[in-house]
Each structure stands twice: as structure tokens, then as C-alpha cells.
Amino acid sequence: MKTWNRVAIIGVGLIGASIGAALLRRKLAGQVIGIGRRIESLDEAKQLGAITHLTTDLASGVADAELVVVCTPVAQIVEHVRAAAAACPEGALITDAGSVKTDIVAEADAARQSDPAWRRGVRFVGSHPMAGAEKRGPGASSADLFVDRVVVVTPGEHSRREDCHELEAFWRSLGARVVDMSAAAHDRAVATTSHAPHLIASAIAAATPEEYVTLTAGGWLDTTRIAAGDPELWRQILLSNRANVLASLERFEQALAAMRSAIEGSAGEDLEQLLREGKRIRDAVAS
Amino acid sequence: MKTWNRVAIIGVGLIGASIGAALLRRKLAGQVIGIGRRIESLDEAKQLGAITHLTTDLASGVADAELVVVCTPVAQIVEHVRAAAAACPEGALITDAGSVKTDIVAEADAARQSDPAWRRGVRFVGSHPMAGAEKRGPGASSADLFVDRVVVVTPGEHSRREDCHELEAFWRSLGARVVDMSAAAHDRAVATTSHAPHLIASAIAAATPEEYVTLTAGGWLDTTRIAAGDPELWRQILLSNRANVLASLERFEQALAAMRSAIEGSAGEDLEQLLREGKRIRDAVAS
């Protein structure tokens, strides 16, 4: 299994700190440099054994890194990938952990043609580790966060095969199952499997009058769990994947409208058939 | 803590078998008679230690019972409560475990005035143990199912205080937290905290194309978990509580429409504010 002398992680929240912790616990990296704005988070990550070094200066943090993982919120990823590309060594591999991939992959493809930093041989392939959900911060991190979780790797138009394979091997070395697809296909799929459900869960919670809260049980708690996620991060994700989220919401609204009609018309058999279709798809996924 | 010589349970699925197991494990009942249609389920419940005796004949099963708990699907509860009232001893306490309460409580109030079986002193108070969710059958039962779970007790217009207190003490003896409210208030609340979320979870699952299933992670799994529930049981529940479910869906659809408008208009601050409201209510409930 490939080991790294020096890995830089930009953003040491739940995902970034978990990557560092997994690398160090599995002895896959000699040094893990945590890069962030807030010294408190970096200190916490270091105390937790998620990083070996820390800095608030991005350029010096990535200066000797063989691998740079950008784990900042979606709205900042393009900027941080650009800054990392300008300051990292020739031949370094850069990836990110953002939940929306089209913009960052297109940006990297474009920069590769025109930007001097990229032309000198910086490599980029996008990633999306599907882990984390509603928690945040280094305190929620875990060296086992990626074990048996799906990480999507999204090659761009100009990505080289060997770079993709190197990145896939990196995620597998943390225990993840890797799925390879285009950024566009990824963004369409996660709009349905993650982004729209987040919005819907939040709407269920928002539409629950507080006086009913004592009558919430397992079903409500499960259904609304992700509504506890960070509103600012989710605002960025939902707006970055706007068109796909709206298309996915439309499909959901059609499914719900059919169920509502069946209830309005007391059409028991139709309703049961619609519920059966939902159960069939839910049962197809191992819980 | 009150103990019972003989408790009859009509319907030994998840809820019925869990009540029997809890009574026997806690030594709160000498005999627990399981009553059902399918001898296989009754045998299974007996092997699991959830009942001590079994019969497919309702009248003989309740003949000597001090307490009768009707745990059959919502559509059959009225019929089974009536049959139990006609065959149980004078003074027996009957309750049910249905998720919708208005019809059964109204029926019992009406019968108390007119039906000879009830006039001879049978007592009824409705219950709704909020436990169980998507599993079913005696194999899924647990003697601890009710520990720290909410059980709603719904007195009718003509219920006597001491009967309610006896029933509340029964549920508390199984470890539950008891909440007391009218059947109408209960049905309004659970439409929002349980029935509408079930429908919405099912619609999320139904609107997920199967080719995206590999990209489902924790969020989708949590949000759709209850969609695995039994379609026939849920059809009954949703139609029994039709008006409240439709009103609750309308509130949900308004909340979701506001979020969708914010996304359509790329109104980041509005969207974040709406997500924050969902988070506030979710965070108010301990997970």
C-alpha cells in the first residue's frame, strides 16, 4: 500500500481530520500538515492525532506535500484548489472532498490548459467521500470514517488514468469503496440521494409545530436526522447543484402528489401500491 | 407494581409479542394468552417467551382475562375490541395499540351507552405505544421495546379517571413514558410526527432511480428508513387519519415550496434561514 511522506489537508473539519487520523493511524503518511483559518480547530485536530503539523498559511503548508486534500466548504473549494496548485511542488496530486463536482472539475480542466501553475505538472482529480452527514468539526472525526463508505472519484475531461488510479488507491487505503463516474453523473445522482432528501428532511422538521415534539418517535427522528446539518454548508451545496436539485425535487413532488391523490380519493389499493414501490426501492439498499 | 393473573393479547406481532415478553420478563403477569389467526406466529411467540398460552379463538382467549390488549392492524381494531368486550369477564380492562385513535375511542364511547356487553361493566381506554417503526412480526419483538418510549393514553368522553390511571400504570410498568391526551389531539399530532413523514419517506424512496442506489449514504438511509414499513398496515393508518394527514402534508408542502423558491431564485440567505428553522426544531428533540 502506497505511503506518503507529506500530506497536506486544507480544512480540518470532520472530513479533513478523519482523513488525517486514518492516514496516521494506518501509518500511511509520515507527516500530515493541517491547514486552516482557525488555530483552535487546528490545535484540536493535532491533539486528537489527526495531524502532525499545523499552519494557517496555505502556501507554506502545501509547499512540500505530495498529496493535497482540500476539505473546505463547497463555496471555497475552487479558490483553495487554485491556491494549492500555485504553491505545491511539481507533480503533486490534488483532490478535494466536495459534495458537488461539476464546477471544480471544469475549473481544473480549464486551468490545466491556461494556468502556469497547472502547466508545470500539478495533477487534480475530484473526490466525494460520502460520509459525515450531520456532524461537523474535528471533534466528530474518526480514523474509521471511510471504512466501507463510498467515495466517488470524478475524473475530468483531461484527467490521466494513472492519476485517477493513484487517487482511488489512496481512498481504498483508508478503507473506502471507490466508485468512478463523471462529475455531471455524480451531481445528478447525489441531487437525488443526498441533496433533495436534505431539503425534504429540513422541511419535515420545519413543518413540525413545537407542541408536537413530545410525540416524535423513531420514524420522525430518522427521517429528520440530516436536518441538523450545518445550514451554511448546505446552502452552498444546494445552490451549487441547483438545477439537479430542482429536477430531483420535481420527481419527488410527483411521487408525493400521487400518494396524496390516493389519500384524497380514499383509493386504498392505489395508495398501497405506491407505498409498495417505495418499500421495494428502500429494501433494495442494505441498511 | 400491579401484577396480573391473566393478560390476553390479540395479535402477537411486534407490539403484541413485545408486551407479552415485557410482562413475563418483568414478572408482571402469571399467564399471557396470545390470540391470533396464524398458529405459526403464535407458536413463534410462545417459543420466544412472549406468551404462555395460545389460541386462535378470541372468545375463549379473553374469557378469564383481567386485561385485554388489542394489537391487531388499525382496520381490525374496532371489530376486535367489540369481540373482546362481548367475551371478557365483567370488570376487565381493554385497551388497544393502534396508531389512530379517534374512531376506536368514539366507538367505545358509543357502545358504552347502548351495547349490553359494555353495560355489564367492561372498561376501555385507548393507547398508542410509539415504538416499532419499520419492523414487524414476533421475531422482531423485544421485552425492552417500551423502555423510555412514549405511550399515549387517550381517554374518551366517558372514560373514568381510575381506568385511565390503571392503564397508565400498566404502560409505566413496562418502562414507558406515558402522555395523556384526547384522541383528536393525538391524531392531529401523529399525522405530523409520524404519518406524513412516513408518506414523505416513501415518496423519497420511490423517486430514487435504481441506478443511483449505489450513491445512497447515511442521509438517504436515515431519511427513507420507515419506507420499509408494511404497505398494508400503513395504507390503513394513512386512510384512517386521512383529514389530519392531508392537513399535515399541506404544511409540509408549504415549507418545501418556500425552500424550492429560494433555490430557484438563488436566494442564499433566504434558503439558509429556512434550513436554520428546520435545524432549530430538529435540535430541540434529543436524538
Side-chain angles (χ1 to χ4, degrees):
Chain A
M1 209 168 270
K2 171 159 183 169
T3 58
W4 311 81
N5 292 322
R6 209 168 275 111
V7 176
I9 297 175
I10 305 177
V12 290
L14 169 64
I15 299 291
S18 294
I19 292 170
L23 284 168
L24 293 169
R25 188 77 58 84
R26 291 166 179 250
K27 303 193 188 308
L28 295 167
Q31 296 184 0
V32 174
I33 297 104
I35 302 165
R37 278 177 314 178
R38 291 180 57 246
I39 199 78
E40 296 80 4
S41 289
L42 294 169
D43 275 336
E44 188 185 356
K46 190 165 179 213
Q47 273 163 25
L48 291 163
I51 56 177
T52 56
H53 296 72
L54 58 87
T55 176
T56 56
D57 182 54
L58 191 151
S60 70
V62 304
D64 295 312
E66 296 158 87
L67 174 67
V68 179
V69 190
V70 177
C71 301
T72 44
V74 159
Q76 297 167 296
I77 291 176
V78 168
E79 172 198 342
H80 289 150
V81 168
R82 259 192 217 144
C88 69
E90 195 168 329
L93 179 61
I94 305 176
T95 191
D96 74 308
S99 309
V100 187
K101 302 260 62 90
T102 306
D103 290 355
I104 175 62
V105 170
E107 165 79 14
D109 271 334
R112 190 174 280 110
Q113 310 307 313
S114 58
D115 187 324
W118 293 77
R119 270 183 299 159
R120 72 186 164 81
V122 165
R123 303 175 293 149
F124 174 84
V125 181
S127 306
H128 176 205
M130 299 191 69
E134 80 281 10
K135 295 178 197 154
R136 67 177 304 201
S141 69
S142 155
D144 293 324
L145 188 68
F146 307 106
V147 174
D148 291 330
R149 305 300 285 269
V150 167
V151 175
V152 183
V153 166
T154 57
E157 217 176 315
H158 303 291
S159 298
R160 293 186 313 170
R161 262 184 101 73
E162 63 257 44
D163 297 345
C164 297
H165 290 165
E166 191 175 337
L167 184 63
E168 290 171 11
F170 162 72
W171 286 113
R172 285 202 192 93
S173 76
L174 306 190
R177 292 185 289 129
V178 174
V179 173
D180 183 304
M181 61 172 71
S182 74
H186 167 274
D187 287 359
R188 268 197 306 277
V190 295
T192 295
T193 62
S194 170
H195 305 169
H198 188 95
L199 205 66
I200 294 162
S202 185
I204 294 175
T208 303
E210 279 177 272
E211 67 265 33
Y212 292 170
V213 155
T214 44
L215 291 201
T216 54
W220 191 91
L221 288 169
D222 284 340
T223 309
T224 59
R225 184 157 291 121
I226 51 177
D230 185 81
E232 194 186 334
L233 294 182
W234 278 97
R235 157 193 175 168
Q236 294 175 12
I237 292 169
L238 292 162
L239 292 183
S240 298
N241 201 17
R242 189 172 161 278
N244 288 316
V245 170
L246 290 172
S248 177
L249 271 185
E250 199 175 320
R251 272 203 312 279
F252 161 77
E253 285 168 343
Q254 283 167 3
L256 187 64
M259 292 176 178
R260 193 185 51 223
S261 297
I263 294 178
E264 280 167 350
S266 296
E269 279 178 35
D270 293 352
L271 177 59
E272 188 175 328
Q273 186 48 45
L274 293 164
L275 294 171
R276 208 169 285 289
E277 175 61 10
K279 176 174 170 58
R280 186 181 68 78
I281 294 180
R282 182 56 176 78
D283 287 347
V285 183
S287 64
Chain B
M1 211 167 271
K2 171 160 183 168
T3 58
W4 311 81
N5 293 320
R6 211 170 273 113
V7 176
I9 297 175
I10 306 177
V12 289
L14 168 64
I15 298 291
S18 294
I19 292 170
L23 284 168
L24 294 170
R25 189 78 57 83
R26 291 165 180 251
K27 302 193 190 309
L28 295 167
Q31 296 184 0
V32 174
I33 297 105
I35 302 165
R37 279 176 317 175
R38 292 178 59 246
I39 199 79
E40 297 81 5
S41 289
L42 294 169
D43 276 336
E44 187 184 355
K46 190 163 178 215
Q47 274 164 25
L48 290 165
I51 56 178
T52 56
H53 296 72
L54 58 87
T55 177
T56 56
D57 181 55
L58 192 150
S60 70
V62 304
D64 296 312
E66 296 159 87
L67 173 68
V68 180
V69 190
V70 178
C71 301
T72 44
V74 159
Q76 297 167 296
I77 291 176
V78 168
E79 171 198 342
H80 288 150
V81 168
R82 260 192 216 144
C88 69
E90 196 168 326
L93 178 62
I94 305 177
T95 190
D96 73 310
S99 311
V100 186
K101 301 259 63 86
T102 306
D103 289 355
I104 177 61
V105 171
E107 165 78 15
D109 271 334
R112 189 174 279 113
Q113 311 306 315
S114 59
D115 187 324
W118 293 78
R119 270 184 298 162
R120 70 185 165 83
V122 165
R123 304 176 291 150
F124 174 84
V125 181
S127 306
H128 175 206
M130 299 191 69
E134 81 281 10
K135 295 179 196 153
R136 68 177 302 202
S141 69
S142 157
D144 294 324
L145 188 68
F146 307 106
V147 174
D148 290 330
R149 305 300 284 268
V150 167
V151 174
V152 183
V153 166
T154 57
E157 216 176 315
H158 303 291
S159 298
R160 293 188 311 172
R161 264 185 99 76
E162 63 257 45
D163 297 346
C164 298
H165 289 166
E166 191 175 338
L167 184 63
E168 291 171 11
F170 162 72
W171 286 114
R172 284 201 194 92
S173 76
L174 307 189
R177 292 186 289 129
V178 174
V179 173
D180 183 303
M181 60 173 73
S182 75
H186 167 273
D187 287 359
R188 268 198 305 277
V190 294
T192 294
T193 62
S194 170
H195 305 168
H198 188 96
L199 205 66
I200 294 162
S202 185
I204 294 174
T208 303
E210 280 178 89
E211 68 265 32
Y212 292 170
V213 155
T214 44
L215 291 201
T216 53
W220 191 91
L221 288 169
D222 284 339
T223 310
T224 60
R225 183 158 291 121
I226 51 177
D230 185 82
E232 195 186 335
L233 295 183
W234 278 97
R235 157 194 175 166
Q236 294 175 14
I237 292 169
L238 292 162
L239 291 182
S240 298
N241 201 17
R242 188 172 161 277
N244 288 316
V245 170
L246 291 171
S248 177
L249 271 185
E250 199 175 319
R251 271 203 312 279
F252 161 77
E253 284 168 343
Q254 283 167 3
L256 188 63
M259 291 177 179
R260 193 186 50 224
S261 298
I263 294 179
E264 281 167 348
S266 295
E269 278 178 35
D270 292 352
L271 178 60
E272 188 175 328
Q273 186 48 43
L274 293 164
L275 293 171
R276 208 170 285 288
E277 175 61 9
K279 177 174 170 58
R280 185 181 68 78
I281 294 180
R282 182 56 177 79
D283 288 347
V285 184
S287 65

